[in-house]
Amino acid sequence: MAENNENNTTLSDSQQPETEKKSSKKQKLKKFQFFPKKRKWEENYDTNGEFISRSQDRLTLYSDYYGPIIEDKNGHKAGKFFFEEYYELGHIHRFGEFLLVLLFGIYFAYGGYNLYYLGGVVRDAYADLGLSLTTDYAEYMIFVLYIILIIIGIWILSLIISYIFVRIFAEIAGILMYMLVIIEIGLLILLYIKIDWEYNWIFMVAVVPNVLMLTFWYKKFKKAIYTIRMSSIAVAKQREILTPQITQTLWILVLGFFHIVTSLETFLDITPISGATFELQGKAIEVSKGWIYFGYTALFVFCVFTIYFVSQGMKMLMVHNWYRGGGSLGFGKAYGIIRKRWWGIMGYAFNSTLVHMVQAFRKMIKGEFGPQNIKECFTQTGEIIPTQVNALRTKKNTPWYERVWMSLNFYTLPAIVIENRLYHRALLRSLFLSIRDIPSRYIKASKVNVLFNFVKYALIIINGCIGALVGYTFASLYGFPEFTTYVITGLAVPVFIWVGGGTATLIVNDLNNTYITLLYIHTVDDLNNKEHFTLNELQKLKGDTSVVVEKPKWYQFKKKQQFEEDVSVDPDQK
């Protein structure tokens, strides 16, 4: 017996180093983990409800920022989101930022080079005619300035009207959604009964999705109504999301100006550059001026996409911060977060540019790309500008494959800016979430878009009516004759409709972008089984609140097990 005990002791002693080796290997694997792994919710915070960071920042996931539950005396619960820690998610990509600045610098450098030569031709032409750009047109410039100020005033008035209407729309959106579904069902049944057609059963097939919205998809339908309402409130109250849009517009105008200048130079052939020659493996490769223009146009599209994704991404971050209960984020802080998303944004912009330039590449191969006259120098820039990301409607003549591409990337931008994913992972996330929640995508396309279009055209009509009222009031106050009064009123209406149309498009695109952001947040929360981390839940809390940080038994057991493993590797930890 003694011998057996001695043998067992010897055996256990020989197995002990192997156990230590296995434990040390586990520790090394944890230390040098390459791919982030989702952790349990209770591991996000300590017993005081404070955030617990990971051992390596690169392993941090969006789900790490779901904090403990806050509860009031009445039993209402809301989730605490770790905002300050979330702002630090990711890191600034210096090389990516440098590369982006370099690409924009090349664009503006070549555009400025063409502007220099084109400006010289314009100056010489005016000098030959004996005219001066600074003195002969000074009086006209004053009138142009007045017109610009009037348009700005109309735009501000139109914007105020739009915000008021959107706030009202938030309260009646639910009624309109139910009416839309019921009216559509009624019309389809009526068509089935009244139209004598061999294939009139198609009308009854079209009824099925609407019936599903009121039955099996009813929760999704109610969520869509709620999301419309919250999107409208966000657009009406969070005026800060207008700032990235104004910045985007100014950037697009500047980029478009230099592209027009380059188009004019390409058609007029002013600069000494007529092409370029490169040597590759002893072979001379000639690049014509047409291909240089094509490359410059591709760079223009890339820059436009980058501006789109930055500005719309900043809006998403502002909406996300507000909806989580963090209040106003601010332009500077939103841009600071975007700086940590450069690689994802650049990857998205690069791939979108490739898809968008397919049609232009086909024309280039056929020798049909490029301006053929002065008019096309201006129109081609407008035609080549891509549709704004998350715009309610795509531009006319957008190819089918580009529309499919936009649909596949429905959730890509929020995945990049909110969850800090690189482009390829964001695209996979978009596909996964879209397939996982097809009913919500269908409701968005078939019903929500109809309501947003209703908002757009209603705003245009309201602006036209306001224009008629303003024009008539202005003419009456200054005592113009009756006929002149009608003329001024008739001129004011199209001006207000024109400006109001632009404002309506801006507001509706913001509604659409906000809706996609909130839908993404709800989908991610559902995926992570979190339902209390929203502004509405926080607003329900009344009086004194307390943070619930009680850890479940499985968590305490896991911490004890982890401690024992650490002690087996390093006994000094006792």
Side-chain angles (χ1 to χ4, degrees):
M1 290 292 292
E3 291 179 1
N4 291 335
N5 290 334
E6 288 177 5
N7 291 334
N8 292 334
T9 306
T10 307
L11 184 63
S12 60
D13 290 340
S14 64
Q15 287 178 343
Q16 190 172 359
E18 293 181 4
T19 306
E20 291 180 359
K21 286 180 180 179
K22 289 180 180 179
S23 299
S24 62
K25 284 182 179 179
K26 286 182 180 179
Q27 293 295 324
K28 287 181 179 179
L29 286 173
K30 287 181 179 180
K31 185 177 180 181
F32 298 104
Q33 186 178 353
F34 290 99
F35 299 103
K37 185 179 180 181
K38 183 179 174 182
R39 63 185 182 183
K40 298 291 184 181
W41 171 39
E42 289 81 4
E43 296 178 2
N44 293 345
Y45 53 91
D46 58 20
T47 53
N48 295 320
E50 299 297 328
F51 178 73
I52 299 177
S53 60
R54 298 222 186 192
S55 58
Q56 300 178 50
D57 291 338
R58 64 181 183 84
L59 300 177
T60 306
L61 296 175
Y62 178 77
S63 57
D64 293 353
Y65 300 101
Y66 290 111
I69 293 296
I70 304 172
E71 187 175 355
D72 64 8
K73 293 182 179 180
N74 298 322
H76 294 301
K77 296 180 179 180
K80 176 185 176 182
F81 194 83
F82 295 115
F83 289 103
E84 293 301 325
E85 292 79 6
Y86 171 72
Y87 300 150
E88 302 301 320
L89 177 61
H91 62 277
I92 297 176
H93 304 286
R94 300 292 183 186
F95 180 73
E97 200 165 46
F98 168 76
L99 185 61
L100 197 61
V101 171
L102 180 64
L103 291 172
F104 271 80
I106 291 171
Y107 180 84
F108 286 120
Y110 187 69
Y113 172 79
N114 292 325
L115 178 62
Y116 173 78
Y117 278 93
L118 186 64
V121 172
V122 173
R123 286 194 305 271
D124 293 342
Y126 272 85
D128 293 339
L129 294 172
L131 300 174
S132 174
L133 287 172
T134 57
T135 57
D136 295 339
Y137 292 94
E139 296 180 0
Y140 297 103
M141 293 303 295
I142 294 174
F143 286 109
V144 171
L145 181 61
Y146 284 148
I147 292 172
I148 292 173
L149 291 175
I150 291 171
I151 291 174
I152 292 174
I154 294 172
W155 181 75
I156 294 172
L157 178 62
S158 175
L159 202 61
I160 295 170
I161 295 167
S162 299
Y163 283 135
I164 295 171
F165 182 82
V166 168
R167 191 64 187 86
I168 297 171
F169 171 73
E171 304 303 324
I172 63 173
I175 299 172
L176 294 176
M177 279 284 279
Y178 280 106
M179 286 178 59
L180 185 61
V181 174
I182 294 170
I183 289 172
E184 190 170 334
I185 291 174
L187 285 174
L188 289 169
I189 293 174
L190 185 64
L191 289 172
Y192 174 76
I193 296 171
K194 293 294 184 181
I195 294 180
D196 186 15
W197 182 38
E198 182 181 358
Y199 301 102
N200 62 349
W201 53 268
I202 292 176
F203 298 123
M204 294 307 296
V205 173
V207 170
V208 174
N210 292 282
V211 174
L212 286 174
M213 290 181 200
L214 300 178
T215 53
F216 297 104
W217 295 351
Y218 188 61
K219 287 185 177 179
K220 304 288 185 182
F221 184 72
K222 287 185 68 176
K223 185 175 77 172
I225 294 173
Y226 169 78
T227 308
I228 292 173
R229 182 176 181 276
M230 294 307 296
S231 300
S232 303
I233 293 173
V235 170
K237 288 187 174 182
Q238 293 299 105
R239 307 291 173 82
E240 65 178 4
I241 64 176
L242 187 65
T243 311
Q245 185 63 47
I246 295 173
T247 308
Q248 172 188 301
T249 303
L250 294 174
W251 270 100
I252 299 300
L253 287 174
V254 173
L255 291 169
F257 170 76
F258 279 102
H259 190 266
I260 291 172
V261 168
T262 304
S263 299
L264 287 167
E265 190 283 323
T266 302
F267 174 70
L268 298 173
D269 196 15
I270 302 170
T271 64
I273 297 178
S274 58
T277 304
F278 301 95
E279 286 191 7
L280 183 63
Q281 295 181 353
K283 295 181 180 179
I285 300 174
E286 293 185 2
V287 180
S288 65
K289 195 167 187 176
W291 280 106
I292 293 176
Y293 177 71
F294 176 83
Y296 187 78
T297 301
L299 184 56
F300 167 66
V301 172
F302 173 82
C303 293
V304 170
F305 270 125
T306 303
I307 296 299
Y308 281 165
F309 298 151
V310 169
S311 61
Q312 301 306 311
M314 289 173 66
K315 289 181 183 182
M316 287 180 171
L317 289 170
M318 291 173 177
V319 172
H320 170 267
N321 199 78
W322 170 79
Y323 190 63
R324 289 293 190 201
S328 175
L329 182 62
F331 184 90
K333 188 169 285 187
Y335 180 71
I337 298 173
I338 285 292
R339 290 183 66 194
K340 301 174 183 178
R341 313 288 192 262
W342 283 133
W343 284 121
I345 289 173
M346 289 172 66
Y348 191 10
F350 177 76
N351 285 277
S352 298
T353 301
L354 291 179
V355 174
H356 185 74
M357 291 299 292
V358 168
Q359 196 174 29
F361 182 74
R362 289 175 178 173
K363 291 182 179 179
M364 188 66 203
I365 294 297
K366 297 177 182 178
E368 299 174 356
F369 185 77
Q372 305 299 321
N373 50 56
I374 295 293
K375 179 185 176 183
E376 288 188 4
C377 293
F378 293 89
T379 58
Q380 195 163 54
T381 299
E383 292 172 359
I384 203 67
I385 289 179
T387 303
Q388 177 181 296
V389 61
N390 292 340
L392 186 62
R393 295 183 63 182
T394 57
K395 292 177 64 177
K396 292 181 179 179
N397 302 321
T398 301
W400 64 268
Y401 53 83
E402 192 168 354
R403 294 176 188 271
V404 172
W405 174 258
M406 293 176 185
S407 180
L408 294 177
N409 286 278
F410 186 77
Y411 286 127
T412 298
L413 188 58
I416 291 172
V417 298
I418 294 177
E419 289 198 87
N420 189 32
R421 291 175 177 264
L422 294 177
Y423 172 69
H424 64 284
R425 293 181 62 241
L427 176 58
L428 293 175
R429 183 72 155 178
S430 177
L431 294 173
F432 171 71
L433 294 181
S434 297
I435 294 171
R436 186 178 180 274
D437 197 6
I438 293 175
S440 294
R441 287 290 306 269
Y442 178 79
I443 293 169
K444 166 69 172 65
S446 63
K447 298 295 179 289
V448 177
N449 287 359
V450 173
L451 285 191
F452 286 167
N453 277 310
F454 162 76
V455 172
K456 178 180 178 179
Y457 292 113
L459 286 174
I460 292 173
I461 293 171
I462 291 171
N463 276 281
C465 295
I466 296 295
L469 181 63
V470 170
Y472 183 81
T473 304
F474 175 80
S476 299
L477 288 175
Y478 281 89
F480 287 102
E482 185 177 357
F483 177 76
T484 308
T485 300
Y486 290 140
V487 170
I488 292 173
T489 304
L491 291 173
V493 170
V495 172
F496 269 77
I497 289 176
W498 173 60
V499 177
T503 307
T505 302
L506 184 152
I507 293 295
V508 168
N509 286 342
D510 277 352
L511 280 174
N512 196 55
N513 190 67
T514 304
Y515 184 93
I516 292 172
T517 305
L518 296 184
L519 187 61
Y520 183 82
I521 293 172
H522 281 293
T523 307
V524 171
D525 284 356
D526 184 53
L527 193 66
N528 291 303
N529 196 25
K530 298 291 175 291
E531 56 182 14
H532 299 292
F533 293 80
T534 61
L535 179 65
N536 271 6
E537 299 299 326
L538 287 168
Q539 290 176 340
K540 291 178 183 177
L541 299 175
K542 304 295 182 183
D544 296 331
T545 59
S546 59
V547 179
V548 182
V549 293
E550 183 179 353
K551 303 286 186 176
K553 291 182 179 180
W554 67 263
Y555 178 78
Q556 296 174 6
F557 173 76
K558 187 175 180 182
K559 293 295 287 184
K560 182 180 179 182
Q561 191 179 38
Q562 178 66 41
F563 176 76
E564 291 175 353
E565 288 181 2
D566 293 342
V567 169
S568 66
V569 176
D570 185 7
D572 293 337
Q573 290 188 16
K574 288 184 178 181

